[in-house]
Amino acid sequence: MTTKDTNGKELDDGNTVQVIKDLKVKGTSTTLKRGTTFKNIRLTSNEGQVECRQGKSTIVLKTEFLKKM
């Protein structure tokens, strides 16, 4: 199973990714702006999702909205 970003590059644990469009976060009133960078991502059992840390919380993002840095 390989996890790929929007450009088709393979993602691994610990990579740095950037959000390519504004995303609303479910359950909160916050919005992730385009260009937001996340370091040290973790892969999940689902190849279309990765876990990222934002402050003290962990969020799950779809790989179709991310690009590898």
Side-chain angles (χ1 to χ4, degrees):
M1 177 176 81
T2 59
T3 302
K4 296 185 178 184
D5 70 352
T6 192
N7 295 328
K9 292 183 182 177
E10 190 171 331
L11 296 173
D12 297 314
D13 282 335
N15 282 0
T16 301
V17 294
Q18 188 175 32
V19 178
I20 61 168
K21 70 179 258 183
D22 292 350
L23 299 173
K24 291 186 178 181
V25 180
K26 284 187 178 179
T28 65
S29 61
T30 61
T31 301
L32 296 176
K33 297 292 184 184
R34 184 174 63 119
T36 304
T37 303
F38 292 100
K39 297 179 182 178
N40 297 326
I41 63 167
R42 286 182 290 177
L43 302 180
T44 62
S45 59
N46 185 345
E47 66 183 32
Q49 298 176 345
V50 295
E51 289 183 355
C52 305
R53 299 271 306 165
Q54 182 185 23
K56 293 184 178 181
S57 62
T58 302
I59 58 174
V60 177
L61 297 174
K62 291 187 176 185
T63 57
E64 63 192 58
F65 302 117
L66 303 174
K67 74 174 183 179
K68 186 176 179 180
M69 297 293 292

